[in-house]
Amino acid sequence: MKEFKVTPIRNGTVIDHIDVGMSLKVLRIIGVRGDVSSTVSVLMHVPSKKGAWKDIVKIEDRELDPKELDKVALISPDATINIIRDYNVAEKFVVQVPERVKGIMRCSNPSCITNKNEPVEPEFVVETKKPLALKCTYCDRLTTDIAENIV
Amino acid sequence: MSGSLKGLDIVSIRDFSREQIEQILNVADKMVPVAKGEGKSTELEGKVLGSLFYEPSTRTRLSFEAAMARLGGRTLGFDEPKGSSVAKGETLADTIRMVDAYSDVIVLRHPQEGAARLAGHFAEKPVINAGDGAGQHPTQTLLDLFTIRNEKGGIDGNHVVIVGDLKYGRTVHSLTEALSMFGAKLTFVAPPTLQMPKEHIRHIESKGLKPRISSSLDEVIGDADVLYVTRIQKERFPDPAEYQKVAGAFTINRTMLREAKKDLIVMHPLPRVNEIDPDVDDTEHARYFVQAFNGVPVRMALLSMVLGGME
């Protein structure tokens, strides 16, 4: 009998090809905490077909919304999303780094006006894709430590 | 940003093309007689400037007020947030919305970076950035360019030596970006810990220029056309003795200027503390007080252009 390390899920999302070591950050930024009612599986340091290493996250009974997909793209731009419905892959796509990022990240500059209780959503434009650097449209500061600043 | 400046916010020097900067400086030229009180203007009669200074300022605030008054307009606002609703915790966004209703143009100085951009989002009237923390101070840059152009007959090709705190000084970052747009030759003189940040050097190099980096003023002064001096702040040095050593090495005095070209001009955004000895004031090189005056015609030009007067 074939032994599965992690069993297939009936409904939910499999996030594959996560940059190795980033799976727990992915869970954090999409808000998966201890109070979820379904199973969440995390596979870290799994060999990929390309000969490299990757992480995988399986979340049962949950599909990600566009904002959450953008968050995943920002910290793991090569991640693949598999939407599972009734044990089948209903949709499969690679996340896309958005050109503009609004409302999902704070500016890394503590002196930026967007960090001062003003009624605005911080907004960024992609300055470089590899490595990913986002420029604040208010203070012009570049943020490269994306995972630490996602809200 | 292109074409007319009517109704536009003036937030960062990066928003301007070289042609637009030249257009502003040309209008500023025409403003000089009125700025000096030699002529009268009623161009902005009936217009109101909302002047919001959340941080202390002498030159910038007074020159904006003078500029508005010389053009026949009036100013309202505050020069410190104490006593205003800001002290009660009002957000900048709300203050801006209120002043937007009371005035035709808003001038803002604020300690937080990006404050002017935020104000621009909430105001329908044009917002002019008068300095936002360590961020941008575009009107200072424009008056610096105006001074160089008028005193040297042009900006292109001049060798501009910038000395002092190049790491934290907001004036020098905007100025070097603008000077690189004009193809000026640049040299940066600072103690290694206060040298120009790498990203600014890269930006200048992307314009095809190769700025020279030095820690010795004596090495470069003989070849300079413009010496732009900025203050080295004591609080940047944990050791007061180290500050004294550094500050002393970058003090401009009359003896040092003997090695300089006869037509070298010395500029400083002011206030100065001890980086330019008072014995330089009455030399043919000193231009820092002219530079401070130039804030008036340049700000007159901006007020006039954003309010739709002159093109």
Side-chain angles (χ1 to χ4, degrees):
Chain A
M1 192 177 132
K2 193 171 179 183
E3 184 187 335
F4 288 101
K5 284 182 183 169
V6 177
T7 53
I9 60 175
R10 179 170 188 166
N11 293 303
T13 304
V14 177
I15 310 174
D16 198 357
H17 298 285
I18 297 171
D19 290 0
V20 72
M22 297 299 277
S23 52
L24 295 179
K25 283 187 177 174
V26 166
L27 288 178
R28 181 177 66 78
I29 60 165
I30 60 174
V32 174
R33 297 187 178 82
D35 56 357
V36 288
S37 51
S38 300
T39 304
V40 176
S41 316
V42 178
L43 288 88
M44 296 178 81
H45 217 259
V46 181
S48 77
K49 284 179 188 163
K50 294 171 192 164
W53 299 96
K54 64 177 182 179
D55 285 3
I56 303 171
V57 163
K58 294 183 173 195
I59 311 161
E60 286 192 44
D61 301 322
R62 165 113 181 244
E63 293 184 14
L64 302 186
D65 65 31
K67 250 187 179 176
E68 290 168 332
L69 291 173
D70 282 350
K71 288 181 180 181
V72 174
L74 290 177
I75 67 163
S76 197
D78 299 320
T80 309
I81 306 292
N82 299 273
I83 309 284
I84 311 294
R85 292 178 192 135
D86 204 16
Y87 296 109
N88 290 312
V89 178
E91 289 177 51
K92 180 173 181 171
F93 53 89
V94 179
V95 292
Q96 295 226 320
V97 176
E99 290 300 319
R100 288 184 90 82
V101 174
K102 191 174 180 182
I104 59 176
M105 219 179 92
R106 76 175 81 83
C107 181
S108 62
N109 175 6
S111 299
C112 178
I113 191 75
T114 59
N115 285 320
K116 300 291 167 186
N117 199 31
E118 293 290 338
V120 285
E121 286 188 315
E123 194 172 348
F124 304 83
V125 289
V126 175
E127 183 83 357
T128 59
K129 284 203 167 171
K130 284 200 174 171
L132 187 60
L134 301 177
K135 188 164 91 169
C136 174
T137 60
Y138 287 88
C139 76
D140 290 343
R141 176 75 67 92
L142 285 182
T143 296
T144 50
D145 191 356
I146 313 289
E148 284 308 304
N149 290 289
I150 284 182
V151 291
Chain B
M1 206 187 265
S2 66
S4 164
L5 298 188
K6 186 177 178 181
L8 294 179
D9 300 326
I10 309 290
V11 174
S12 164
I13 200 73
R14 288 180 197 158
D15 298 339
F16 294 96
S17 65
R18 176 180 170 148
E19 290 68 33
Q20 283 175 317
I21 291 175
E22 284 176 339
Q23 189 191 357
I24 296 165
L25 303 188
N26 291 342
V27 174
D29 262 333
K30 293 182 195 154
M31 295 291 185
V32 170
V34 181
K36 285 182 173 168
E38 294 165 2
K40 275 199 157 189
S41 171
T42 53
E43 196 187 312
L44 298 185
E45 196 172 13
K47 300 286 186 191
V48 175
L49 162 67
S51 168
L52 307 182
F53 278 75
Y54 286 74
E55 278 191 327
S57 159
T58 308
R59 265 156 303 281
T60 306
R61 184 173 62 82
L62 292 181
S63 63
F64 263 114
E65 287 185 22
M68 198 62 187
R70 293 288 193 197
L71 290 170
R74 304 194 63 166
T75 300
L76 55 81
F78 54 78
D79 56 10
E80 57 165 325
K82 267 188 223 165
S84 71
S85 54
V86 174
K88 296 172 190 156
E90 184 172 63
T91 61
L92 175 62
D94 280 2
T95 306
I96 290 293
R97 281 191 273 225
M98 174 197 69
V99 175
D100 193 41
Y102 298 161
S103 58
D104 302 292
V105 55
I106 297 169
V107 167
L108 174 72
R109 168 165 293 188
H110 197 276
Q112 253 67 56
E113 291 161 48
R117 192 77 72 188
L118 178 137
H121 281 273
F122 287 95
E124 286 183 16
K125 312 287 169 53
V127 172
I128 302 177
N129 186 2
D132 55 350
Q136 293 282 326
H137 193 1
T139 64
Q140 177 71 46
T141 303
L142 289 167
L143 77 88
D144 290 342
L145 295 173
F146 184 74
T147 305
I148 295 172
R149 192 177 85 156
N150 282 15
E151 298 296 324
K152 303 298 293 182
I155 299 169
D156 306 55
N158 275 299
H159 178 204
V160 183
V161 173
I162 305 180
V163 58
D165 178 355
L166 309 186
K167 186 172 182 185
Y168 300 100
R170 67 178 162 203
T171 347
V172 294
H173 298 160
S174 306
L175 179 62
T176 50
E177 285 190 21
L179 286 170
S180 60
M181 211 188 288
F182 281 84
K185 191 178 153 195
L186 295 168
T187 297
F188 302 134
V189 181
T193 50
L194 294 178
Q195 246 317 340
M196 188 62 79
K198 283 196 180 84
E199 65 260 30
H200 286 278
I201 305 250
R202 275 197 293 271
H203 179 84
I204 296 161
E205 287 174 342
S206 74
K207 307 270 178 186
L209 299 169
K210 286 226 174 302
R212 183 174 168 192
I213 311 292
S214 174
S215 55
S216 163
L217 197 49
D218 293 330
E219 259 178 30
V220 298
I221 197 162
D223 187 35
D225 298 306
V226 177
L227 181 61
Y228 194 99
V229 188
T230 63
R231 189 155 57 95
I232 293 179
Q233 294 178 36
K234 209 173 182 172
E235 55 270 28
R236 305 285 181 215
F237 292 84
D239 179 359
E242 187 61 23
Y243 164 74
Q244 289 301 343
K245 208 167 86 187
V246 167
F250 294 94
T251 298
I252 317 300
N253 56 39
R254 193 184 271 258
T255 314
M256 184 183 278
L257 291 173
R258 280 191 201 135
E259 304 300 318
K261 287 182 184 175
K262 223 176 147 35
D263 62 350
L264 165 82
I265 63 165
V266 178
M267 296 171 64
H268 191 300
L270 304 177
R272 66 174 156 172
V273 180
N274 48 18
E275 53 282 354
I276 301 179
D277 194 289
D279 72 5
V280 177
D281 294 359
D282 55 4
T283 68
E284 58 199 332
H285 304 294
R287 289 295 189 287
Y288 26 93
F289 295 118
V290 175
Q291 184 187 355
F293 162 75
N294 285 340
V296 180
V298 166
R299 289 171 176 129
M300 286 168 76
L302 285 170
L303 289 169
S304 168
M305 292 169 90
V306 298
L307 287 170
M310 294 186 84
E311 297 274 321

